[in-house]
């Protein structure tokens, strides 16, 4: 264990500032920052055990990905990244904290689900991690358990208006869970799509012989995302609870969130890189290739991308997470050949998020500080991890990324580290790349070599959402 590390000569970027500063790391935490070239910073160089030269690089907080599904059961299979491979890939991509979804199985307790996810992840992770809980069975017992979970640091709960028979909750169940969270400080995360109506459209499409992946996008209509977003916002108002809408993909759903926020409600929105960079054109790729892009909410026509970028600029959307839920094309996505509704829903991305959002900076869509805000600081605040995570400040964990803003890369499954046999961004050229990553002061990526290990990552019990008034 190295005692004092000095990260020297870089441009330190947080959600608040951009400063040419040296960063002193001691015992896994940020000890101090000082202007590069100042007498204080120069004296640190003499006593440091290790100096990392960040000249020409950005020094940014490690990314916080608040939405992943590792080893996740779906559609008769499991997502192809487990906690070891998924957290390693996250590290390669400059993410040093992720919040994964523990799943309550129907008929079982929340405790049971959480224990299962601890067993899957314990001693496996390369980076720090925390859990949300998926509620699949809201009843008297599980409602009581919510209080216990909040008290032990699982402070957010995902509910679904989609996937009838799997994760779906009806409006009464959603209202009850929201009432409980209004009391205990938990945050309800909503997968907002009208799953009952979607299932009717799925049945009708299949009966007409429409079996290709592109019909996944067609039946999961924009209006059905907007309707469920509107409805669950109203339920949250009735309960007096905050609401975080996950994986927003449609402009019309975003408009519902913006309207609620304009009223001053505690309603928050998340989108994901796939909705910013990919579209229904990908779902329509021939020879079943469109299956690679099947996720829910679905990819939308290109026009929606502009609206989502705008939402990120105007703070109608606050967070970009990946919803990383990879399934291999061979053997997993193929389960849906001849019936798009059997394609496991989900896409890889945990390794690509920081770079894709940096591309938004390169293309002038967001500022550098906004990049860090939506990818690091706000997710940490939203889910009770700030300022331990999400920033560079004295006392914070020394989760740091040395980022080369001018490096050129071409995204490919040949070179990525996620355990999945394709990349939805295959061949995409990006400017900027992660060079070195520290997690609590330990080098886990050293000049593009993985130096971390499974078991370094610690489970973090979380506080409650830090945006509530
Ligand atoms: O397609 C997706 N998003 N799969 C993962 C489950 C979910 O709804 O987030
Ligand atoms: Zn979802
Ligand atoms: Zn998800």
């Amino acid at each position: 264990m190295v005692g004092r590390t000095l990260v020297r000569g870089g441009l330190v970027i947080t959600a608040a500032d951009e400063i040419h500063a040296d960063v002193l790391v001691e015992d896994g935490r940020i000890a101090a920052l000082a202007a590069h070239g100042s007498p204080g910073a120069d004296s640190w160089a003499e006593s440091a055990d290790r100096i990392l030269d960040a000249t020409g690089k950005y020094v940014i907080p490690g990314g916080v990905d608040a939405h992943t599904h590792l080893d996740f059961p779906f559609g008769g299979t499991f997502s192809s990244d487990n906690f070891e491979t998924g957290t390693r890939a996250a590290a390669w991509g400059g993410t040093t904290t992720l919040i994964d979804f523990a799943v309550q199985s129907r008929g079982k307790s929340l405790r049971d689900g959480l224990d299962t996810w601890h067993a899957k992840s314990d001693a496996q992770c390369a980076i720090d991690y925390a859990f949300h809980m998926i509620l699949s069975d809201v009843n008297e017992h599980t409602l009581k358990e919510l209080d216990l979970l909040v008290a032990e640091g699982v402070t957010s709960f995902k509910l679904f208006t989609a996937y009838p028979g799997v994760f779906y909750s009806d409006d009464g169940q959603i209202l009850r869970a929201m009432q409980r969270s209004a009391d205990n400080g938990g945050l309800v995360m909503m997968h907002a799509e009208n799953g009952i109506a979607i299932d009717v459209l799925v049945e009708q499409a299949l009966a007409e012989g429409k079996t290709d992946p592109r019909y996944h996008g067609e039946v999961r209509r924009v209006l059905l995302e907007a309707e469920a977003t509107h409805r669950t916002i109203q339920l949250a108002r009735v309960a007096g609870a905050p609401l975080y809408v996950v994986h927003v993909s449609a402009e019309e759903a975003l408009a519902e969130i913006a309207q609620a926020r304009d009223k001053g409600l505690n309603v928050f929105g998340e989108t994901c890189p796939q909705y910013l960079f990919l579209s229904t054109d990908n779902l329509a790729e021939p020879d079943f290739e469109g299956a690679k892009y099947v996720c829910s909410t679905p990819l939308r026509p290109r026009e929606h991308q502009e609206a989502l970028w705008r939402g990120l600029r105007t703070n109608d959307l606050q967070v970009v997470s990946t919803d990383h839920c990879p399934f291999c094309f061979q053997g997993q996505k193929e389960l849906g050949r001849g019936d798009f509704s059997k394609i496991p829903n989900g896409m890889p991305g945990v390794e690509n998020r920081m770079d894709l959002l940096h591309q938004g900076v390169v293309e002038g869509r967001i500022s550098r500080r906004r990049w860090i805000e939506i990818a690091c600081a706000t997710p940490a605040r939203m889910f009770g991890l700030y300022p331990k995570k999400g920033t560079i400040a004295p006392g914070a964990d020394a989760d740091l990324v040395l980022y080369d803003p001018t490096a050129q890369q071409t995204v490919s499954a040949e070179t990525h580290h996620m355990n999945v046999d394709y990349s939805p961004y295959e061949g995409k050229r990006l400017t900027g790349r992660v060079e070195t990553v520290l997690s609590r002061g330990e080098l886990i990526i050293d000049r593009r070599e993985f130096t971390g290990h499974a078991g370094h990552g610690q489970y973090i019990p979380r506080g409650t959402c830090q945006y509530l008034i």
Side-chain angles (χ1 to χ4, degrees), residues 187-353:
L187 179 60
V188 168
M189 307 170 78
M190 189 59 61
H191 179 135
E193 289 184 287
N194 187 325
I196 301 285
I198 286 168
D199 273 8
V200 171
L201 298 179
V202 169
E203 195 184 305
Q204 291 169 348
L206 291 174
E208 289 168 33
K210 296 174 172 170
T211 60
D212 289 349
R214 72 188 159 106
Y215 295 108
H216 172 82
E218 290 194 11
V219 299
R220 303 186 89 92
R221 301 270 179 86
V222 160
L223 290 177
L224 297 178
E225 184 185 343
E227 182 277 328
T229 305
H230 177 85
R231 176 165 34 108
T232 53
I233 288 171
Q234 306 318 314
L235 291 172
R237 289 177 78 180
V238 169
L243 180 67
Y244 177 96
V245 185
V246 295
H247 48 52
V248 175
S249 66
E251 180 171 8
E252 289 80 349
L254 170 57
E256 296 290 344
I257 293 168
Q259 203 177 63
R261 292 181 61 78
D262 288 347
K263 288 193 170 76
L265 300 172
N266 279 322
V267 172
F268 309 99
E270 164 201 274
T271 192
C272 311
Q274 52 268 37
Y275 306 120
L276 297 167
F277 289 94
L278 304 171
S279 74
T280 44
D281 296 350
N282 299 100
L283 270 173
E285 286 178 15
D287 300 327
F288 197 64
E289 290 281 307
K292 294 176 176 175
Y293 307 93
V294 164
C295 61
S296 296
T297 58
L299 301 183
R300 300 297 183 191
R302 271 171 190 281
E303 311 81 82
H304 293 259
Q305 294 172 2
E306 282 309 315
L308 297 175
W309 281 113
R310 195 178 333 115
L312 287 171
R313 281 194 297 278
T314 58
N315 204 36
D316 287 329
L317 293 170
Q318 297 76 41
V319 172
V320 178
S321 310
T322 58
D323 195 8
H324 177 77
C325 189
F327 296 101
C328 287
F329 184 69
Q330 295 202 346
Q332 292 194 297
K333 290 289 187 181
E334 282 177 333
L335 293 169
R337 269 195 199 275
D339 178 350
F340 68 84
S341 72
K342 294 202 165 60
I343 301 169
N345 282 207
M347 282 175 52
V350 76
E351 188 172 348
N352 309 120
R353 182 183 68 127

Side-chain angles (χ1 to χ4, degrees), residues 67 69 72 74 101 134 158-160 162-163 167 190-193 246-247 270 275 296-297 323:
H67 188 153
H69 301 278
F72 178 70
F74 197 95
F101 286 86
I134 285 179
K158 185 173 178 192
L159 287 123
F160 295 72
Y163 308 136
F167 297 130
M190 189 59 61
H191 179 135
E193 289 184 287
V246 295
H247 48 52
E270 164 201 274
Y275 306 120
S296 296
T297 58
D323 195 8

Side-chain angles (χ1 to χ4, degrees), residues 117-138:
W117 256 256
H118 275 299
K120 282 173 188 263
S121 55
D122 192 30
Q124 300 301 310
C125 296
I127 59 167
D128 290 350
Y129 63 103
F131 291 129
H132 314 284
M133 186 92 219
I134 285 179
L135 305 191
S136 325
D137 194 355
V138 179

Side-chain angles (χ1 to χ4, degrees), residues 59-110:
V59 179
I60 60 173
V64 178
D65 189 342
H67 188 153
T68 66
H69 301 278
L70 301 175
D71 203 359
F72 178 70
F74 197 95
T77 185
F78 285 80
S79 60
S80 57
D81 262 320
N82 58 26
F83 281 85
E84 182 179 356
T85 63
T87 57
R88 190 168 58 219
W92 272 104
T95 285
T96 52
T97 307
L98 56 79
I99 314 179
D100 200 79
F101 286 86
V103 180
Q104 176 206 14
S105 305
R106 291 214 154 183
K108 298 249 178 84
S109 66
L110 302 185

